[in-house]
Amino acid sequence: MELSVTDLACQRGGALVLQNLNFVIPSGRALILRGRNGAGKTTLLRTLAGLQPPSCGHIKVPPDSIIYSSHSDGVKDMLTVAENLMFWGNVFQKPYANAARQMNLDGLLSRPAHSLSAGQKRRLGLARLCISDRPIWLLDEPTISLDAASVALFEIMLRLHLQNGGMAIIATHVDCGVDDMILDLGPFRPVKQLLPDGFDEAFL
Amino acid sequence: MIAVLTRDLKLAIRSGGGFGLGLAFFLLIAVLTPLAVGAQSDLHARMAPGILWLGALLSCLLSLDRIFALDYEDGSLELLATSPVPMEGLVAMKSLAHWIVTGLPLTLLAPVLGIILALPAEGYFWLVVSLALGTPALSLIGAFGAALTVGLKRGGLLLSLLVLPLYVPTLIFGAEAVRAGTSGQPATTALMFLAAISAGSAALLPFASAYALRINLR
Amino acid sequence: MHLSGRFLPWVAAIAAITLVAGLFWGFFLTPDDYRQGSTVKIIYLHVPTALMAINGWFMMLVASLIWLIRRHHVSALVAKAAAPVGMTMTLIALATGAIWGEPMWGTWWAWDPRLTSFLILFLFYLGYQALWHAIDDPDTAADLTSVLCIVGSVFALLSRYAVLFWNQGLHQGASLSLDSQQHVDNVFWVPLVICMCGFGLAFLALVLVRTRTEIRSRRLQALLLRERMA
């Protein structure tokens, strides 16, 4: 199993932000995305997740293999931690107990989610990755608002995932403990704006 | 998909706004209209089907913007879009949840409000049946409007502007069924139209709504 | 764009000529109706605009379908351009209807099925345009309004039948169908047809102008964007 991207271009807000992207991620490897703010890290992840269509190029992934984790955690304040986990467990039809243990949420299970701190919420959000049991993780700034101990927990979870043959693409500014493959998005910024099928460009 | 339904129901009950607010609004309309038009009960009796249907429609409208907006804001809509739950199923379940917390209680409350509006005795059966057949369409059409406006900052007013014209056929057939039933005329034609609108909406609108949601998430 | 640029002045000119001719003929050269008097002459405004109001929506529906299926950029803009013109036609039809209704039926407004349908059509036009204006990204706006237009068409049609069911009205039956000309005398019929053609052409000309404006504004946006990126 592998994820391969050929000649990919992504757009945001009617303008091309990335061009000529080519990479292959084999099983068990992680790709770290680097680049300054606005370089297109989130756009690339959203395109890979299938939320927006690529401007051109191809993405080859096995079906139903991707789990995407955005800036926000998708945590429902009105529900308890256990109910939040159970919801995603039901959605993916997988048990959630193991994920709760890995992210050290066992002691918080009966707490309502609105009483959690930002870091605890993030941990709850990351536990979803573990529940899904999908091989390709797309992570957007996963370690934001986590303390050192929680980052360590996350690193353990990530390494375990990779050891089991999983893959990950991580957009981050900090060290994640797995500096496996690094891709700097800076050079892929299009020098000249040329959109083959963008709305506005069609009028030029 | 059942998970989405149970979660939405739980959220609606806990946040309190789901059950209570719509019903209270319905009650207010039924109380305020007689105050506005005067105290003749024969007039109320004639207006009751229309007032009750209009009230049901407006209270339904009240909670529409919450169907997708809350999930959109906290990011769970994006996460659900990339999950194994198909978007169409998500829309259908959310519409169903909306109907359970608004349409169903409205249907059950309507006979009580029929009493204070002096609805003739023959009308109660038709009122409940027409609301039971028609309110699912209100939720489904509303979910479509909510899907169109989910990404907008101030979508509330626009949502009403988009959804209310779409509600016209449902309102006409619904109120007509009660009026015909009350005056002893056959009401089955209107009821059949009403059921057809609900069934047609349930079959087709989730696809349109899912398409609109995908565009809004882009 | 080139093609439309060449056609536009001609369409506009012919539209103006037919409109003036048709309206002049209608207003001054036809006899007064023996029952309705001179008020009948408002028909030369009322009927063609009503026709165009419906055709406008139909045009939007077709353009929306083309946009969704073929992703042809201009068609989305045609739909956008047709909406305000169609809405204005609806408004004129409603207003002339009210002015005509006052001497004929003794009331400015009656909840007659056709009047009601037109009012509902007006609401649909309003919502459609509001959605266009509310969304910033033009591509998203085009997609969403197209979906709204298609779903709206179904419900507009439903409303039409619902309204008929709701109230049998005051309007006369279809007296203008092509095969039954005996209802309306040729003296009235010929100028009416000319007026219909005139309004049709005027509609086309207005939509063309608006579409060209939209295309130019989009081109401007694209150029500005390119400038900023460079």
Side-chain angles (χ1 to χ4, degrees):
Chain A
M1 188 192 291
E2 62 176 28
L3 179 146
S4 74
V5 164
T6 40
D7 207 20
L8 184 72
C10 316
Q11 58 176 319
R12 192 186 56 221
L16 218 52
V17 288
L18 289 168
Q19 213 175 25
N20 299 328
L21 267 173
N22 287 290
F23 58 80
V24 175
I25 307 173
S27 208
R29 306 287 295 273
L31 179 73
I32 312 289
L33 299 179
R34 303 242 182 232
R36 57 185 178 78
N37 291 351
K41 299 188 290 292
T42 301
T43 308
L44 176 59
L45 287 177
R46 285 176 57 88
T47 309
L48 290 174
L51 284 170
Q52 58 184 72
S55 299
C56 67
H58 296 283
I59 303 165
K60 235 171 71 190
V61 282
D64 290 337
S65 59
I66 279 181
I67 174 103
Y68 168 64
S69 164
S70 59
H71 286 289
S72 44
D73 302 310
V75 169
K76 283 289 168 198
D77 279 349
M78 285 294 160
L79 302 179
T80 64
V81 172
E83 282 168 331
N84 267 303
L85 289 170
M86 193 161 59
F87 169 66
W88 290 111
N90 286 337
V91 164
F92 289 99
Q93 296 178 330
K94 296 272 166 22
Y96 66 88
N98 184 34
R101 202 168 325 114
Q102 281 198 38
M103 279 279 88
N104 194 20
L105 291 164
D106 279 335
L108 303 170
L109 282 179
S110 58
R111 288 262 297 274
H114 62 80
S115 70
L116 297 184
S117 74
Q120 287 168 325
K121 269 188 194 165
R122 188 88 246 197
R123 262 154 61 199
L124 181 51
L126 290 173
R128 195 176 54 90
L129 300 169
C130 210
I131 292 172
S132 75
D133 201 26
R134 288 191 161 186
I136 302 175
W137 290 2
L138 304 178
L139 309 177
D140 203 348
E141 309 275 6
T143 52
I144 237 168
S145 71
L146 289 183
D147 61 13
S150 303
V151 172
L153 273 178
F154 168 68
E155 282 172 14
I156 293 168
M157 185 173 83
L158 183 61
R159 281 213 199 86
L160 193 70
H161 171 70
L162 296 177
Q163 271 165 26
N164 292 337
M167 294 164 243
I169 301 182
I170 306 167
T172 181
H173 295 288
V174 296
D175 191 23
C176 265
V178 276
D179 290 334
D180 196 359
M181 302 152 68
I182 292 179
L183 181 69
D184 187 0
L185 289 181
F188 296 97
R189 187 169 196 76
V191 196
K192 227 175 90 193
Q193 274 292 315
L194 270 181
L195 258 186
D197 55 351
F199 203 120
D200 288 310
E201 297 286 327
F203 294 101
L204 286 172
Chain B
M1 288 209 283
I2 305 298
V4 178
L5 179 64
T6 47
R7 181 189 74 147
D8 269 29
L9 290 180
K10 257 186 216 163
L11 285 173
I13 295 165
R14 294 217 187 138
S15 62
F19 275 116
L21 224 57
L23 284 180
F25 189 71
F26 192 34
L27 176 73
L28 274 174
I29 288 180
V31 172
L32 290 184
T33 322
L35 293 182
V37 299
Q40 305 99 317
S41 62
D42 56 326
L43 181 65
H44 298 166
R46 276 203 308 158
M47 287 176 66
I51 296 171
L52 290 173
W53 253 94
L54 194 62
L57 194 136
L58 291 177
S59 359
C60 211
L61 197 67
L62 208 60
S63 50
L64 281 182
D65 56 338
R66 296 159 60 101
I67 296 185
F68 297 115
L70 295 180
D71 278 357
Y72 182 81
E73 278 158 19
D74 68 13
S76 31
L77 198 58
E78 266 186 356
L79 304 180
L80 278 169
T82 52
S83 79
V85 178
M87 208 65 149
E88 288 78 9
L90 178 76
V91 174
M93 284 304 133
K94 280 188 159 289
S95 312
L96 181 61
H98 181 260
W99 180 73
I100 292 175
V101 295
T102 56
L104 190 61
L106 287 179
T107 309
L108 299 178
L109 182 69
V112 182
L113 298 185
I115 296 174
I116 65 171
L117 287 172
L119 186 74
E122 308 86 48
Y124 289 93
F125 171 73
W126 300 108
L127 178 68
V128 173
V129 172
S130 73
L131 280 172
L133 286 175
T135 44
L138 297 184
S139 290
L140 285 158
I141 297 168
F144 172 66
L148 282 179
T149 53
V150 71
L152 300 172
K153 292 283 177 302
R154 278 186 295 275
L157 194 63
L158 180 66
L159 178 63
S160 329
L161 192 60
L162 296 181
V163 165
L164 281 176
L166 298 176
Y167 276 172
V168 167
T170 320
L171 174 69
I172 290 178
F173 287 124
E176 192 63 35
V178 186
R179 208 172 313 129
T182 310
S183 56
Q185 289 159 344
T188 37
T189 324
L191 284 181
M192 267 149 82
F193 270 114
L194 208 55
I197 292 174
S198 281
S201 305
L204 298 175
L205 273 182
F207 292 95
S209 315
Y211 185 78
L213 275 183
R214 279 198 208 98
I215 291 165
N216 266 325
L217 283 175
R218 211 159 52 189
Chain C
M1 194 76 186
H2 289 295
L3 201 67
S4 72
R6 198 136 22 98
F7 276 125
L8 183 62
W10 290 102
V11 173
I14 298 171
I17 292 167
T18 32
L19 259 185
V20 170
L23 287 178
F24 185 78
W25 189 349
F27 282 160
F28 300 110
L29 303 180
T30 53
D32 287 355
D33 188 85
Y34 75 95
R35 265 187 304 136
Q36 305 194 352
S38 60
T39 54
V40 75
K41 291 183 174 178
I42 205 166
I43 198 176
Y44 302 110
L45 283 174
H46 181 65
V47 173
T49 48
L51 192 71
M52 279 306 118
I54 296 168
N55 283 3
W57 186 273
F58 189 68
M59 186 174 179
M60 278 158 53
L61 175 63
V62 173
S64 299
L65 281 172
I66 293 175
W67 161 245
L68 284 183
I69 296 166
R70 298 297 306 271
R71 310 301 286 180
H72 195 291
H73 290 95
V74 176
S75 73
L77 296 183
V78 169
K80 186 183 181 183
V85 186
M87 190 171 84
T88 314
M89 292 290 179
T90 317
L91 205 58
I92 296 175
L94 279 173
T96 51
I99 295 167
W100 195 8
E102 207 279 327
M104 283 307 101
W105 302 333
T107 169
W108 294 99
W109 180 261
W111 288 95
D112 159 86
R114 266 196 236 184
L115 285 182
T116 316
S117 310
F118 264 82
L119 195 61
I120 295 168
L121 183 65
F122 181 69
L123 295 179
F124 274 101
Y125 270 123
L126 215 61
Y128 176 84
Q129 288 189 73
L131 190 63
W132 258 112
H133 287 290
I135 303 169
D136 294 328
D137 182 58
D139 225 347
T140 312
D143 277 328
L144 292 180
T145 49
S146 298
V147 181
L148 176 69
C149 183
I150 290 163
V151 173
S153 303
V154 176
F155 278 90
L157 210 64
L158 262 176
S159 307
R160 175 84 185 101
Y161 287 102
V163 165
L164 272 180
F165 182 84
W166 169 71
N167 188 0
Q168 314 291 341
L170 297 165
H171 250 98
Q172 53 187 319
S175 51
L176 294 174
S177 54
L178 287 171
D179 52 286
S180 58
Q181 289 182 19
Q182 65 267 28
H183 286 295
V184 178
D185 196 77
N186 269 341
V187 180
F188 301 111
W189 176 246
V190 175
L192 185 57
V193 170
I194 295 176
C195 277
M196 284 192 206
C197 295
F199 269 101
L201 288 169
F203 180 82
L204 194 66
L206 287 172
V207 171
L208 277 178
V209 170
R210 291 189 59 88
T211 310
R212 286 164 61 85
T213 315
E214 291 287 340
I215 292 175
R216 288 213 173 95
S217 103
R218 295 302 297 278
R219 191 174 286 173
L220 195 66
Q221 268 177 27
L223 285 171
L224 281 174
L225 192 68
R226 174 179 282 189
E227 199 126 293
R228 229 178 318 127
M229 298 304 272

